Amino acid sequence: MSARISHLEHVLKEKSTDLEKTEDLDEKEALRHEIQSLRNTKECLSRERCGLDEKLQKVNQGCKERDIIH
């Protein structure tokens, strides 16, 4: 998942550069829409990764507590 987020960050940088360089208004609007969509996807993946990290942390704590008890 981290690789996907990193890839999205790279694509976002490229699209932002393209947006700065283009003169065509229709193309600018299309790029803005695509950038917003990519940002939304990145944010969703980041939230999902955060949730998975929290679950993993809870599982690891449970394992450590069981090891201490036994």
Side-chain angles (χ1 to χ4, degrees):
M1 190 175 299
S2 293
R4 172 76 192 229
I5 292 170
S6 294
H7 176 71
L8 284 171
E9 288 172 350
H10 177 74
V11 173
L12 277 166
K13 286 178 187 176
E14 287 180 349
K15 297 294 179 182
S16 294
T17 300
D18 292 346
L19 180 63
E20 291 173 7
K21 291 179 180 179
T22 190
E23 298 289 327
D24 184 81
L25 294 179
D26 290 335
E27 190 175 344
K28 277 185 180 272
E29 188 59 34
L31 283 167
R32 284 187 187 107
H33 180 72
E34 189 174 358
I35 288 169
Q36 186 59 46
S37 179
L38 289 167
R39 285 179 179 156
N40 291 342
T41 301
K42 180 184 162 214
E43 182 63 32
C44 183
L45 287 172
S46 294
R47 282 193 305 265
E48 189 176 328
R49 182 179 67 182
C50 185
L52 290 172
D53 287 346
E54 288 174 4
K55 286 180 183 179
L56 181 60
Q57 197 171 34
K58 287 178 183 178
V59 166
N60 286 338
Q61 279 182 334
C63 288
K64 288 178 184 176
E65 289 172 2
R66 276 192 302 244
D67 290 345
I68 292 171
I69 292 172
H70 292 119

